[in-house]
Amino acid sequence: MSPLPEAELVRSSLQLYRYLLRCCRRLPRGPVQQHYRHAIRQSFKVHADEDDPERIQQIIKRAIEDADWVMNK
């Protein structure tokens, strides 16, 4: 099960960014939420210059799987 029902609709990096921030809202407030919000922002900065569509889809798939793991933890 995906953390949020919109996971299958994520197709672009901007949609992924919004999706992951919405997932963060479901985490406990405080340091945990701040940590994951910071990690999301940093990851997007690191991958900002990615231009290979296949690689972008791999990153999106992996990010959704990771969000699923965090939300189920």
Side-chain angles (χ1 to χ4, degrees), residues 10-25:
V10 174
R11 299 282 183 252
S12 70
S13 56
L14 181 59
Q15 289 173 333
L16 177 64
Y17 187 74
R18 290 176 180 163
Y19 171 79
L20 293 175
L21 289 179
R22 281 193 298 273
C23 286
C24 270
R25 289 186 206 146

